[in-house]
Amino acid sequence: MDAPGAGAGAGHPFEYLIETLNDSSRKKFYNVPRLGGTKYGALPYSIRVLLEAAVRNCDGFLMKKEDVMNILDWKTKQSSVEVPFFPARVLLQDFTGIPAMVDFAAMREAVKILGGDPRRVHPARPTDLTVDHSLQIDFSKCAIQNAPNPGGGDLQKAGKLSPLRVQPKKLPCRGQTTCRGSCDSGEPGRNSGKLSSQIENTPILCPFHLQPVPEPETVLKNQEVEFGRNRERLQFFKWSSRVFKNVAVIPPGTGMAHQVNLEYLSRMVFEEDDLLFPDSVVGTDSHITMVNGLGILGWGVGGIETEAVMLGLPVSLTLPEVVGCELSGSSNPFVTSIDVVLGITKHLRQVGVAGKFVEFFGSGVSQLSIVDRTTIANMCPEYGAILSFFPVDNVTLKHLEHTGFDKAKLKSVETYLKAVKLFRHDQDNSGEPAYSQVIRIHLNSIVPSVSGPKRPQDRVAVTDMKRDFQACLNEKVGFKGFQIAAEKQKDYVSIRYEGSEYTLSHGSVVLAAVTSCTNNCNPSVMLAAGLLAKKAVDAGLHVKPYIRTSLSPGSGMVTHYLSSSGVLPYLSKLGFEIVGYGCSTCVGNTAPLPEAVLSAVKQGDLVTCGVLSGNKNFEGRLCDCVRANYLASPPLVVAYAIAGTVNIDFQTEPLGTDPTGRSIYLQDIWPSREEVHQMEEERVVLSMFKALKEKMEMGNKRWNSLEAPDSVLFPWDLKSTYIRCPSFFDKLTKEPVALQPIENAHVLLYLGDSVTTDHISPAGSIARSSAAAKYLTNRGLTPREFNSYGARRGNDAVMTRGTFANIKLFNKFLGKPAPKTIHFPSGQTLDVFEAAELYQKDGVPLIILAGKKYGSGNSRDWAAKGPYLLGVKAVLAESYEKIHKDHLIGIGIVPLQFLPGENAESLGLSGRETFSLTFPEELSPGLTLSIKTSTGKVFSVIAAFENDVEVTLYRHGGLLNFVARKFS
């Protein structure tokens, strides 16, 4: 399907708005301000981007003139009308991108079966897919002492990959005289410590020299293992890039989706057939919102909606309210951008901005660098906003200039954005838009903080950390409490590790990770962590060896600037060695903790802690035995790792002592803002972007040599456990059938509030006792070959079995956390999949009962696809996360909502009843429906459709069927 309205052809209803950029240019643009007059000047900048896209794509069908006028009349139409939006491009990452591309491949099959031409099925908009979300940490710290992750694959079955042979070698330091580590300078007697180890034929590295290094040793090892275990998946991606038009694959080892989006893929302004228009993007990752810090409109949607955009259809959204967030003043020098992020997050969460755009303005905006803005923009899913937008201004242009942006294009960008009034002027306070509401935040009111121990919204000032942790030990088990008896709160367990004695107690840090998402895009906080590490090492401080430390940057550029700035060796010396580029610890792919630590935790029933610089810390996400998880800025992650506990008051208690016995406090080693900014300007911006471009041009040798098919239809391997043709199109007909009633449906799960997509969607390693493990074992795989759920998202059989398999899922039927439920006809307690399978064999439909905020957290399409394939026909909840609700509709599950003030408990529902529901012939948005239970109770619910498009999609059985029928 071709994208409508990309050009400026004859007969376009707004053709009269087309102008040339200047007298000497052939570049054209729609001068949208002419359309609105004074109305346009009052529009928020983000709404102006929506309006330009509507004008440009107006074709009278998918985008009607009425839609354009509704956006122009935003002030009176906000929150009351649905409007389409055509993004300029699409961004996928491999974890959620693989099901999207597998669905594309399956759709080609379905279209062919229905008599259509499968060659028509390809993306209509530029689609970039980054392959780096599946990283597992198989090697960390001194790799020779670490065995590969038990979830890893069998390298001998991986094809023509060189074997992983680790041999101890002497590492010559190339005549350097500044080496202070355990390497060999080539002179007798210079080697005083343990020898490092390397993969055969890889570049020789000296981890203690202040110089750029080609690739850290552990990166090469993890990458080689990754190419082995994920070979089928990578071959499928390469086939996709060959067969589908407009698909570009960013190979492994390059960077994370959201960071490559910032560093390489962002266009700022598109130019197609001499027509200029603003860059905008949607994608299968909630971190897409990061790009709004650069003045590019973008947000995360589900794989289903993304596929629709790729096929030339618009994203449909309720014309949003736009909250203006005025920033004023400047922050305390000890406050990092992460503290600013968490401070703004808490404030916006309290105000209530769910389902809204947030747009920043005021004098304080100019105090924030682009990397600060992108970090703030990235966190908007945590306070519920669709996106948080920073309009382009002089700070943006200066940043682009530093990144090596083409000067002529940059001038064109500036001229165009000013012509269409998408450029924010620092001093023009009289021209601020008329926002839906305005909130004001003084930056000097923000203090250093962390978030935890179980939820990202529970923010704790660092100065209150010790008191708050003690309170958590005392509180009842819940969102914060652990309910540890007072007489046991001082308990400790001694362990022996690597020949030394250590003590573990409540609050002991056992896992410290500077992770890839959220924070590592911001050089200032990463450099602050590095400078703090340097000062700590210089002061003689160290991290206890049993603490699982790791540094997993989202981009190779982080490695580059940490190395070139001279701080990487100090991070490594504290145990924060680079393990690879991708999601690892933050999605549960961490290496196991030492057995001595695990035994001590169990013996003492200790509340041990993980500290990471990500944006998610839901209970059980990092490691089953780590009960308290705190989000912190990278320098604070390093600080808590050095302290070895979160049960510390940094103001009055030292981190440790130097060799002379002098106490060293945090303020003694904390780098000043001036130090950090100076290093950032001198070492980072230009060099990191230049190096990334060079890396993109060179490519990855393993990727370049990888063989892949180029047939029109993908040659499915029936024996494959990675890539499988999904069953979504099995019952597809050329025309949609009438809506069928849901009769005598059993409740599969009875859930409470704040059930996240992490609870629903498969993630992390595949447990050996799980339904997915049984499936893989029956196909001849050993536990070492299971890999992770993320790597197997192209196999619907695995993913369905992993749905609701989270050990922290609290099912009210059981009264305790467990990935199980009750099969009521037999009375058995079974794995969720096994119970659903029995229901499906008997032809029994299923529903889910839930509380408030069902489906909160990251956008995950398998959180909808999985329940659909389990046989779930409806979800009945008090409220929903919007993205997840859209997913349910997009896959063919009806989202039902209790009437205000009602819930399952108030209605006297036990969940053991059966439920029946009939749909009227004329289904409409927000319609009230009646449910009857087997006990005779009748009550009303709301069909949570927001617009006619959602109703149409549901009538078709979901978006995939709707789109496939367009090609048949």
Side-chain angles (χ1 to χ4, degrees):
M1 182 178 292
D2 296 326
H12 193 286
F14 296 102
E15 184 180 5
Y16 66 94
L17 295 177
I18 298 175
E19 297 181 3
T20 56
L21 190 61
N22 53 57
D23 294 338
S24 60
S25 174
R26 295 188 305 171
K27 297 176 182 179
K28 300 171 292 184
F29 69 100
Y30 284 91
N31 192 354
V32 182
R34 286 174 48 199
L35 176 67
T38 56
K39 281 186 178 180
Y40 185 89
L43 293 177
Y45 290 88
S46 51
I47 299 299
R48 297 178 195 182
V49 178
L50 293 182
L51 180 60
E52 190 283 334
V55 168
R56 175 169 39 87
N57 289 287
C58 186
D59 64 349
F61 176 57
L62 293 174
M63 180 71 73
K64 300 178 181 179
K65 194 170 183 178
E66 177 186 0
D67 296 320
V68 175
M69 293 299 105
N70 282 338
I71 299 174
L72 182 60
D73 293 331
W74 168 83
K75 188 173 182 179
T76 59
K77 296 293 181 68
Q78 58 184 288
S79 301
S80 63
V81 297
E82 287 287 324
V83 295
F85 172 56
F86 287 93
R89 57 188 173 93
V90 169
L91 181 64
L92 306 173
Q93 44 90 340
D94 51 341
F95 260 23
T96 48
I98 191 166
M101 299 311 300
V102 167
D103 290 347
F104 249 63
M107 190 178 295
R108 283 195 162 197
E109 300 272 359
V111 168
K112 182 181 180 181
I113 292 173
L114 292 181
D117 182 0
R119 289 178 176 83
R120 295 179 60 209
V121 181
H122 62 79
R125 295 305 307 162
T127 301
D128 300 297
L129 191 152
T130 65
V131 186
D132 253 347
H133 234 64
S134 58
L135 175 69
Q136 293 189 52
I137 302 176
D138 294 285
F139 298 93
S140 65
K141 291 188 176 179
C142 185
I144 195 170
Q145 298 176 3
N146 289 297
N149 189 321
D154 187 344
L155 285 175
Q156 295 182 3
K157 297 182 179 180
K160 298 179 179 179
L161 287 178
S162 60
L164 192 69
R165 287 180 285 180
V166 181
Q167 302 176 4
K169 291 185 177 182
K170 291 185 177 182
L171 304 179
C173 65
R174 302 170 188 173
Q176 306 287 348
T177 59
T178 56
C179 180
R180 293 180 293 164
S182 56
C183 63
D184 191 339
S185 68
E187 301 175 18
R190 288 290 297 272
N191 184 23
S192 58
K194 292 182 179 180
L195 295 175
S196 297
S197 58
Q198 297 227 165
I199 299 174
E200 189 174 20
N201 296 326
T202 59
I204 294 175
L205 310 178
C206 174
F208 294 93
H209 281 151
L210 308 186
Q211 60 181 21
V213 292
E215 288 286 353
E217 174 189 354
T218 48
V219 172
L220 293 173
K221 290 184 177 181
N222 282 314
Q223 194 175 103
E224 182 156 359
V225 174
E226 182 180 2
F227 261 84
R229 68 161 63 98
N230 295 314
R231 188 177 184 84
E232 285 184 56
R233 188 174 59 89
L234 297 175
Q235 287 176 323
F236 175 76
F237 283 141
K238 196 159 187 177
W239 170 82
S240 299
S241 67
R242 289 178 174 179
V243 173
F244 293 116
K245 298 179 182 178
N246 285 335
V247 172
V249 175
I250 312 301
T254 306
M256 294 290 293
H258 38 286
Q259 295 192 239
V260 173
N261 189 22
L262 281 175
E263 298 171 2
Y264 185 78
L265 301 176
S266 295
R267 279 79 156 175
M268 298 305 297
V269 173
F270 262 78
E271 182 177 347
E272 292 183 358
D273 298 326
D274 293 328
L275 181 69
L276 300 175
F277 54 93
D279 188 4
S280 58
V281 60
V282 296
T284 55
D285 191 290
S286 61
H287 299 298
I288 296 292
T289 54
M290 183 183 290
V291 80
N292 289 280
L294 202 57
I296 297 172
L297 196 70
W299 66 93
V301 297
I304 301 169
E305 301 97 317
T306 305
E307 292 165 38
V309 175
M310 293 162 66
L311 290 165
L313 299 177
V315 173
S316 182
L317 73 158
T318 301
L319 192 60
E321 295 181 36
V322 182
V323 177
C325 183
E326 182 180 12
L327 302 181
S328 61
S330 58
S331 60
N332 184 291
F334 293 100
V335 170
T336 70
S337 60
I338 308 306
D339 297 315
V340 174
V341 168
L342 296 176
I344 291 175
T345 297
K346 183 176 181 179
H347 195 96
L348 293 176
R349 188 184 292 276
Q350 291 172 340
V351 170
V353 295
K356 303 175 184 179
F357 284 10
V358 174
E359 192 167 291
F360 291 87
F361 71 101
S363 60
V365 174
S366 297
Q367 305 296 318
L368 302 178
S369 67
I370 289 298
V371 286
D372 291 336
R373 299 179 190 189
T374 55
T375 310
I376 293 170
N378 180 59
M379 291 296 285
C380 77
E382 301 310 316
Y383 43 83
I386 299 174
L387 57 86
S388 294
F389 191 72
F390 288 83
V392 176
D393 60 8
N394 287 323
V395 175
T396 315
L397 295 182
K398 185 177 180 180
H399 171 81
L400 293 172
E401 184 178 354
H402 285 166
T403 64
F405 205 86
D406 181 81
K407 291 184 178 180
K409 184 176 181 180
L410 185 58
K411 182 62 178 177
S412 176
V413 166
E414 180 180 1
T415 303
Y416 167 72
L417 293 177
K418 288 181 176 179
V420 294
K421 297 184 178 180
L422 286 173
F423 189 91
R424 189 184 76 87
H425 296 275
D426 294 337
Q427 306 301 324
D428 188 14
N429 294 328
S430 61
E432 297 294 354
Y435 294 108
S436 305
Q437 68 178 105
V438 173
I439 60 175
R440 293 175 173 84
I441 299 177
H442 297 280
L443 296 179
N444 56 9
S445 67
I446 297 173
V447 297
S449 63
V450 298
S451 288
K454 300 182 181 182
R455 303 186 304 173
Q457 62 262 43
D458 296 325
R459 185 166 170 249
V460 184
V462 172
T463 53
D464 295 334
M465 183 63 166
K466 184 171 185 176
R467 179 192 57 79
D468 188 81
F469 182 74
Q470 289 291 337
C472 290
L473 293 180
N474 289 317
E475 287 184 23
K476 292 182 179 179
V477 174
F479 289 137
K480 291 200 68 171
F482 299 103
Q483 200 169 354
I484 303 297
E487 64 273 14
K488 292 183 176 294
Q489 291 181 15
K490 301 295 185 181
D491 287 358
Y492 64 89
V493 179
S494 297
I495 67 170
R496 186 169 183 81
Y497 187 75
E498 294 186 350
S500 299
E501 296 288 338
Y502 300 97
T503 299
L504 291 182
S505 59
H506 296 294
S508 289
V509 173
V510 295
L511 191 154
V514 178
T515 62
S516 58
C517 64
T518 306
N519 301 322
N520 294 0
C521 67
N522 192 322
S524 64
V525 292
M526 293 300 293
L527 290 172
L531 286 169
L532 186 143
K534 180 181 184 301
K535 292 186 176 185
V537 171
D538 289 344
L541 300 178
H542 64 278
V543 174
K544 295 178 178 66
Y546 62 79
I547 298 177
R548 179 68 68 190
T549 51
S550 63
L551 171 57
S552 176
S555 167
M557 292 305 96
V558 180
T559 305
H560 179 81
Y561 67 68
L562 288 178
S563 179
S564 64
S565 61
V567 298
L568 187 58
Y570 300 98
L571 286 164
S572 297
K573 195 157 188 176
L574 291 180
F576 291 93
E577 182 175 308
I578 293 176
V579 296
Y581 306 105
C583 278
S584 49
T585 302
C586 59
V587 294
N589 287 345
T590 185
L593 296 177
E595 187 60 39
V597 173
L598 294 176
S599 298
V601 171
K602 293 178 181 179
Q603 177 185 337
D605 190 27
L606 299 178
V607 180
T608 54
C609 302
V611 187
L612 73 157
S613 63
N615 73 337
K616 288 288 194 300
N617 62 336
F618 298 119
E619 190 175 7
R621 183 181 177 104
L622 302 185
C623 182
D624 296 349
C625 63
V626 181
R627 294 161 66 182
N629 300 302
Y630 288 92
L631 305 182
S633 64
L636 280 176
V637 171
V638 176
Y640 278 111
I642 295 170
T645 181
V646 300
N647 196 14
I648 183 175
D649 183 348
F650 282 139
Q651 290 182 306
T652 60
E653 298 177 64
L655 293 173
T657 58
D658 66 12
T660 67
R662 182 175 65 91
S663 295
I664 304 297
Y665 293 83
L666 181 60
Q667 57 264 35
D668 296 330
I669 62 172
W670 190 272
S672 69
R673 181 176 293 271
E674 290 73 24
E675 288 179 275
V676 174
H677 284 177
Q678 182 180 355
M679 183 172 287
E680 183 177 14
E681 288 297 321
E682 293 178 355
R683 302 279 188 173
V684 178
V685 177
L686 178 58
S687 61
M688 65 186 284
F689 283 88
K690 181 180 178 181
L692 176 63
K693 290 178 181 178
E694 292 174 353
K695 191 171 186 178
M696 293 290 294
E697 292 171 0
M698 291 175 59
N700 183 298
K701 290 182 179 179
R702 289 191 180 96
W703 173 261
N704 293 341
S705 62
L706 186 68
E707 296 180 358
D710 55 7
S711 52
V712 173
L713 300 178
F714 184 71
W716 307 99
D717 181 358
L718 298 180
K719 296 180 180 180
S720 173
T721 56
Y722 278 97
I723 308 294
R724 197 176 100 127
C725 189
S727 56
F728 301 121
F729 302 103
D730 286 357
K731 298 180 181 179
L732 181 66
T733 58
K734 280 204 170 186
E735 298 297 331
V737 298
L739 290 178
Q740 301 298 306
I742 300 173
E743 297 180 334
N744 300 316
H746 271 285
V747 177
L748 179 63
L749 292 161
Y750 183 7
L751 307 172
D753 296 339
S754 298
V755 173
T756 71
T757 52
D758 282 344
H759 289 114
I760 306 169
S761 182
S765 299
I766 298 174
R768 297 189 181 196
S769 60
S770 65
K774 295 174 186 176
Y775 168 86
L776 295 172
T777 300
N778 290 338
R779 278 150 184 79
L781 274 69
T782 65
R784 287 181 61 82
E785 299 171 298
F786 286 172
N787 211 328
S788 65
Y789 282 112
R792 294 190 182 274
R793 286 195 182 196
N795 186 321
D796 62 312
V798 172
M799 297 301 286
T800 304
R801 286 164 171 80
T803 302
F804 293 115
N806 190 305
I807 61 171
K808 297 299 180 181
L809 180 73
F810 189 90
N811 183 1
K812 292 186 178 182
F813 289 148
L814 305 179
K816 62 181 181 179
K820 294 182 180 294
T821 193
I822 297 175
H823 177 253
F824 289 108
S826 66
Q828 298 179 81
T829 298
L830 302 170
D831 287 341
V832 175
F833 172 79
E834 293 172 346
E837 189 176 38
L838 289 179
Y839 282 124
Q840 289 199 58
K841 286 180 179 178
D842 295 333
V844 177
L846 299 171
I847 69 170
I848 291 171
L849 290 181
K852 300 181 181 69
K853 297 182 180 179
Y854 180 77
S856 58
N858 280 353
S859 168
R860 303 191 190 282
D861 58 338
W862 267 106
K865 288 179 177 179
Y868 174 83
L869 293 178
L870 287 174
V872 174
K873 303 299 181 183
V875 176
L876 177 55
E878 292 182 65
S879 63
Y880 294 89
E881 176 81 15
K882 183 182 185 329
I883 291 179
H884 183 63
K885 181 179 70 67
D886 292 345
H887 279 202
L888 293 176
I889 297 169
I891 200 60
I893 296 175
V894 57
L896 304 174
Q897 195 163 336
F898 289 106
L899 296 181
E902 293 185 352
N903 54 40
E905 185 176 350
S906 69
L907 292 171
L909 302 176
S910 68
R912 298 173 180 267
E913 314 91 338
T914 60
F915 295 73
S916 297
L917 171 69
T918 301
F919 296 99
E921 290 186 12
E922 295 298 325
L923 190 61
S924 59
L927 187 68
T928 300
L929 303 175
S930 180
I931 290 182
K932 184 176 182 179
T933 72
S934 55
T935 61
K937 183 181 293 293
V938 178
F939 60 98
S940 296
V941 296
I942 299 170
F945 301 112
E946 295 186 13
N947 52 66
D948 292 334
V949 173
E950 291 185 349
V951 171
T952 300
L953 294 179
Y954 182 70
R955 284 188 174 278
H956 276 265
L959 178 60
L960 293 174
N961 289 345
F962 174 78
V963 173
R965 287 188 176 106
K966 294 292 183 181
F967 291 117
S968 61

